[in-house]
Amino acid sequence: MKTITRRAAVLFVLIAAFFIGLGFLLFSFITNGSTWASSRLNTHVFTNRQLAAAGAVLDRNGNVLVETKDGARVWTSDSTLRKASLHLVGDAEGYIATGVQTLYRSSLIGYNFVNGLYRAGKDGGNDVRLTIDSEAQKAAYNALSGGKGTICAYNYKTGEVLCMVSAPTYDPMYKPASMNTSTGGAYDGVYMNRFLNGVFTPGSTFKVVTAICALDNLPNVRKRSFTCTGSYKIGDSAVKCNGVHGKITFERALNVSCNSVFAELAKELGNDALTATVRQLGFGKNVKVSGALTTKSTFDLHDAAAIDRGWAGIGQYTTLVNPCQMLMLAGAIANGGTAIVPYVVESSSKLLDVKGQVNKNIQLSETDAKIMRKLLRSNVENYYGDSRFPNLQFCGKTGSAEVIGGRSHAWFFGFSLRSDFPVAIVVCLENGGIGLNNAVPAANKVLQAIKNSTFHIPN
Ligand SMILES: [Zn+2]
């Protein structure tokens, strides 16, 4: 009797162990199945560790960017489009971590939990359709003029990305055998999508942030009169201006990007108020753009002296901004204070994110948005010139960010007021010189390409 009980106990333990093991296996299968299936060691979908059997990646009009033909990955025959789309589509080896071919790999190879890779035949699984327009994408690549940097434009009402380019890039069909990826090299940061993961000194584009802080903290700042003598002295040091602007209003100071006035405002506002505004506008927080996490913008006035704050107020000092953050800020101002998160994947068997969601990290009041719309419209109307953005009712701010050991970064970010063209854009040309001379024409080229493209932008 005692033996039988012992045997029963052993059997019970064995059965329990079996079910625990089965449960663990099922759990692992559910949680890791797609990762196992899309592993580069899986020769059903990878050849020489390169993605081979998978669905196509298409632009918004159904143009193929990359597809599988006869078991091999084949890119579009347009070499400009290949280079322009590399960071968005991603390389076949997966070095570009934020590329669609990496993030949406399980969807592309046709993996699903019930059937596994059953559907993944010779020519792969599901297609992924993007929101970008190939013509706008090529225009953006050409607007970089062979330099490093990034350009992205999106519909600020829906979040649809119309183009997103990052350089340096390369032709994925003829990948260079060796690339100099060291700092300052021709292929420095080549696998990074600079729009999502680059951070740069903002220069005068940051005056938009200082202006918002001034609107919130200095009553009647718009009615005040300032004086620019060519520099603004703080203690024994001074913030130099780009000119001698004399007696000047708040609006005109933003138009001409007067460093003296914005250094004075920053000094007056203080570290706490500036830091609070910067946080309210989403600095220090990231978002997911169709599954790809952006890099946070940083602003740190910890231990900053008054002169440091003066420099910070004009976008210098230690501040670093992410281009996606700047695009969303432009979008928030354009859109009555509501920032919409960009998205690039229009349809796939699995969407990693809700499309066009509100970015709650950016808190901009409707009143501030309205005033900033007027001020940024005034920049173009009264200073840059509407002829630089024909028929676009454009608003925005330029920047020429001084950086150590090189030319300035040329910046522009802004948006159209036209109800039938709700487009915002950010341009950052690394060591590209003067914003007005270089980033503004680049922005216009892309915007005109978007306007002339065949698709209709839904409202
Ligand atoms: Zn000045």
Side-chain angles (χ1 to χ4, degrees):
M1 188 68 193
K2 215 174 179 182
T3 318
I4 291 169
T5 312
R6 195 178 295 143
R7 275 185 187 166
V10 168
L11 197 63
F12 176 76
V13 168
L14 281 175
I15 290 169
F18 173 77
F19 279 106
I20 289 167
L22 189 68
F24 178 72
L25 188 71
L26 258 175
F27 175 75
S28 302
F29 185 62
I30 292 167
T31 52
N32 300 320
S34 76
T35 311
W36 294 339
S38 53
S39 157
R40 284 176 195 286
L41 300 173
N42 185 343
T43 51
H44 286 290
V45 284
F46 291 94
T47 306
N48 299 327
R49 298 175 75 90
Q50 294 210 359
L51 189 64
V57 180
L58 313 156
D59 84 344
R60 65 185 296 132
N61 301 311
N63 298 315
V64 173
L65 299 170
V66 67
E67 64 186 330
T68 291
K69 271 185 186 166
D70 301 324
R73 216 61 181 143
V74 181
W75 283 76
T76 164
S77 59
D78 186 328
S79 67
T80 305
L81 187 56
R82 289 199 297 269
K83 286 183 267 184
S85 311
L86 174 68
H87 291 88
L88 204 45
V89 174
D91 56 326
E93 298 95 336
Y95 291 122
I96 299 167
T98 55
V100 164
Q101 295 202 101
T102 297
L103 291 174
Y104 288 78
R105 201 191 313 170
S106 65
S107 177
L108 279 167
I109 64 174
Y111 176 85
N112 80 53
F113 169 64
V114 180
N115 295 322
L117 280 174
Y118 178 75
R119 283 201 52 227
K122 193 177 66 170
D123 291 335
N126 306 300
D127 294 348
V128 171
R129 188 186 282 253
L130 306 181
T131 58
I132 59 155
D133 177 86
S134 290
E135 292 308 311
Q137 191 73 5
K138 285 195 280 180
Y141 173 74
N142 289 330
L144 290 172
S145 304
K148 294 176 187 171
T150 180
I151 299 177
C152 181
Y154 88 139
N155 180 326
Y156 58 75
K157 287 195 181 295
T158 62
E160 286 165 282
V161 169
L162 306 168
C163 63
M164 183 199 291
V165 294
S166 177
T169 180
Y170 61 85
D171 185 339
M173 238 167 88
Y174 304 101
K175 186 175 177 178
S178 71
M179 294 193 281
N180 178 4
T181 55
S182 59
T183 307
Y187 292 96
D188 180 8
V190 68
Y191 297 123
M192 176 175 72
N193 183 332
R194 280 162 158 76
F195 172 73
L196 299 170
N197 300 121
V199 284
F200 303 92
T201 303
S204 296
T205 55
F206 193 83
K207 285 172 184 156
V208 169
V209 175
T210 308
I212 291 168
C213 185
L215 291 175
D216 288 346
N217 294 282
L218 307 173
N220 300 322
V221 69
R222 292 169 71 202
K223 291 185 183 140
R224 269 168 63 178
S225 172
F226 301 84
T227 304
C228 167
T229 59
S231 67
Y232 184 71
K233 270 195 80 173
I234 301 177
D236 296 333
S237 201
V239 173
K240 214 177 160 338
C241 192
N242 50 42
V244 181
H245 296 110
K247 203 167 167 243
I248 192 170
T249 62
F250 180 68
E251 179 176 324
R252 190 67 189 160
L254 191 65
N255 290 165
V256 302
S257 205
C258 177
N259 288 344
S260 305
V261 170
F262 281 86
E264 181 179 345
L265 287 170
K267 185 189 160 222
E268 197 175 327
L269 286 162
N271 289 354
D272 292 349
L274 269 172
T275 304
T277 298
V278 162
R279 283 210 187 119
Q280 263 172 40
L281 296 178
F283 280 59
K285 301 224 171 96
N286 44 18
V287 293
K288 267 189 175 178
V289 174
S290 293
L293 202 60
T294 62
T295 298
K296 297 169 189 171
S297 303
T298 55
F299 181 84
D300 184 11
L301 289 183
H302 200 75
D303 298 331
I307 184 69
D308 301 328
R309 186 162 71 247
W311 285 111
I314 64 162
Q316 296 291 151
Y317 194 50
T318 59
T319 308
L320 292 172
V321 299
N322 164 251
C324 182
Q325 166 72 29
M326 296 308 269
L327 184 70
M328 289 187 291
L329 178 57
I333 294 168
N335 200 30
T338 305
I340 307 293
V341 179
Y343 71 91
V344 290
V345 174
E346 181 57 46
S347 63
S348 84
S349 67
K350 175 184 158 198
L351 280 177
L352 294 181
D353 264 317
V354 181
K355 292 197 282 183
Q357 57 189 325
V358 172
N359 179 359
K360 296 197 175 100
N361 297 336
I362 297 184
Q363 299 285 333
L364 179 70
S365 72
E366 216 177 318
T367 315
D368 282 355
K370 198 175 162 190
I371 297 169
M372 289 313 298
R373 269 203 304 278
K374 277 189 186 156
L375 292 171
L376 297 184
R377 177 76 189 111
S378 170
N379 284 350
V380 177
E381 215 173 2
N382 303 318
Y383 191 64
Y384 312 151
D386 267 329
S387 61
R388 289 180 180 271
F389 300 100
N391 302 315
L392 292 180
Q393 286 182 48
F394 228 68
C395 312
K397 181 74 192 83
T398 56
S400 312
E402 288 174 24
V403 288
I404 297 164
R407 282 173 93 200
S408 303
H409 295 332
W411 278 97
F412 178 75
F413 79 130
F415 51 87
S416 171
L417 286 181
R418 278 178 59 156
S419 60
D420 61 345
F421 194 71
V423 175
I425 192 166
V426 63
V427 174
C428 177
L429 309 178
E430 241 171 288
N431 308 117
I434 307 293
L436 185 59
N437 297 346
N438 303 320
V440 164
N444 183 53
K445 275 180 203 155
V446 176
L447 293 163
Q448 298 300 337
I450 292 171
K451 199 157 144 276
N452 295 335
S453 63
T454 50
F455 73 84
H456 169 72
I457 297 175
N459 275 309

